[in-house]
Amino acid sequence: MGSVYCLFCACIDQASVGIVEKWGRFQFLASPGLHFFNPFLGECLSGVLSTRISSLDVRVETKTKDDVFVQLLCSIQYRIVKENADDAFYELQNPKEQIQAYVFDVVRAHVPGMTLDKLFEQKSDVAKVVLEELEKVMGAYGYSIEQILMVDIVPDPSVRRAMNEINAAQRLRQASIFKGEAEKILMVKRAEAEAEAKYLGGIGVARQRQAITDGLRDNILNFSHTVSGTSAKEVMDLIMVTQYFDTIKDLGDSSKNTTIFIPHGPGHVRDITDQIRNGMMEASCSNVNPAPSD
């Protein structure tokens, strides 16, 4: 990795380690710096390994417990152990393929026992299982597995659409519940307000009628005391005639284009008064003289 060497000497960079052989046999590990070799004694620099952390992305396709095919993207970060660099140099010809094969084996053995939802929730557990297995296997070859990241879980496109539809339906259902509760509260409040308004309106009408009754009684008494020789009946007839003409005046002054045809004339007012009085007298007679039973 950037080291410079020739037949007699070699310069090894920092974060690297050299493999020195003598007559084709491993001799020692060369640390960073300048090293001299005697080719006449069979010494040579066979290779240089980097001790930096390397990253390997592995995409695994497998099936979950609920028969959903998913792709898992794993990022494996590993490095060569400096003290065991000779094992890494001589034991493995292609360490990346070896790591990838073990990742395939562990993931495809562990994920089929999990549902898709559980896989999303516990993806760190899958990474932990892969890490433990790789540390056990690759440690014997001079490699250290620093960390494993479960970068992405990609289900089949049809499954993703179905999951989005389920999520949307749940949110719409929740929104409908909230909307119904709001409408219910609004209807209850509206009914309470209407009941309160009717109650207050009833109290107002009762007070108005009580005031009218008290006013009529006072007017009758005052008029009877002021004008001698008048009876309560005559005073009541005069008040009703006055109210009748006030009503006619109010209808004429109204701005609305409404036409009302009513009998007009003082005689009709007297007829109305007589009808009210006769009705009250007949009701009193029916209460005093009950009909004989058969």
Side-chain angles (χ1 to χ4, degrees):
M1 301 294 294
S3 300
V4 179
Y5 55 91
C6 61
L7 188 61
F8 297 96
C9 64
C11 183
I12 300 176
D13 291 340
Q14 187 68 31
S16 298
V17 62
I19 305 297
V20 180
E21 295 179 349
K22 186 175 182 180
W23 302 117
R25 182 187 181 94
F26 172 72
Q27 189 69 17
F28 62 89
L29 295 174
S31 58
L34 180 63
H35 297 269
F36 293 94
F37 307 104
N38 189 352
F40 299 105
L41 297 179
E43 293 180 350
C44 67
L45 183 64
S46 181
V48 178
L49 297 178
S50 175
T51 57
R52 296 185 179 92
I53 295 178
S54 301
S55 180
L56 174 63
D57 293 335
V58 181
R59 186 177 294 272
V60 186
E61 185 175 5
T62 184
K63 186 181 73 169
T64 61
K65 186 177 181 180
D66 46 356
D67 296 330
V68 177
F69 283 91
V70 294
Q71 289 186 354
L72 286 80
L73 181 60
C74 305
S75 179
I76 296 95
Q77 298 177 0
Y78 65 97
R79 69 191 306 171
I80 293 175
V81 180
K82 187 175 181 180
E83 293 77 10
N84 300 327
D86 53 333
D87 294 333
F89 185 78
Y90 291 105
E91 296 294 335
L92 289 181
Q93 183 176 3
N94 195 329
K96 292 185 177 181
E97 290 184 0
Q98 187 78 5
I99 293 174
Q100 186 175 3
Y102 278 109
V103 171
F104 283 167
D105 181 67
V106 175
V107 170
R108 288 175 177 171
H110 188 73
V111 172
M114 307 171 64
T115 61
L116 181 61
D117 293 336
K118 189 176 180 180
L119 176 60
F120 275 99
E121 295 173 358
Q122 302 180 2
K123 66 177 184 178
S124 58
D125 295 342
V126 179
K128 183 178 179 181
V129 172
V130 177
L131 177 62
E132 292 175 353
E133 187 66 24
L134 284 181
E135 282 181 340
K136 187 190 308 180
V137 175
M138 299 302 295
Y141 298 114
Y143 285 88
S144 173
I145 307 299
E146 300 295 327
Q147 192 174 12
I148 293 182
L149 302 176
M150 199 63 60
V151 179
D152 196 9
I153 300 175
V154 184
D156 187 79
S158 59
V159 176
R160 282 185 291 176
R161 287 194 298 269
M163 293 174 65
N164 291 332
E165 291 176 358
I166 293 173
N167 190 12
Q170 291 177 349
R171 292 184 181 274
L172 288 175
R173 178 182 178 184
Q174 189 175 9
S176 300
I177 294 175
F178 289 156
K179 183 179 180 181
E181 292 293 334
E183 292 179 352
K184 177 182 176 181
I185 294 173
L186 184 62
M187 292 177 64
V188 170
K189 293 298 181 182
R190 187 183 294 114
E192 291 178 353
E194 185 177 356
E196 186 68 18
K198 289 182 178 179
Y199 172 75
L200 295 177
I203 293 177
V205 171
R207 291 178 178 177
Q208 180 187 17
R209 290 178 179 175
Q210 183 65 35
I212 292 173
T213 303
D214 295 340
L216 290 175
R217 184 181 65 248
D218 295 340
N219 289 333
I220 292 173
L221 292 176
N222 292 332
F223 195 87
S224 299
H225 293 160
T226 304
V227 181
S228 61
T230 58
S231 63
K233 174 183 175 301
E234 293 174 347
V235 175
M236 191 66 185
D237 291 341
L238 178 60
I239 292 174
M240 293 186 65
V241 170
T242 303
Q243 290 181 347
Y244 174 79
F245 284 109
D246 290 340
T247 303
I248 296 298
K249 181 177 180 298
D250 292 337
L251 291 175
D253 294 338
S254 177
S255 61
K256 296 182 179 180
N257 296 325
T258 303
T259 303
I260 299 177
F261 295 95
I262 58 175
H264 178 65
H268 292 93
V269 178
R270 182 177 298 277
D271 293 339
I272 294 173
T273 305
D274 294 339
Q275 291 175 9
I276 295 174
R277 183 175 61 256
N278 293 334
M280 295 177 62
M281 293 176 63
E282 290 175 359
S284 300
C285 292
S286 63
N287 291 329
V288 172
N289 300 320
S293 58
D294 294 336

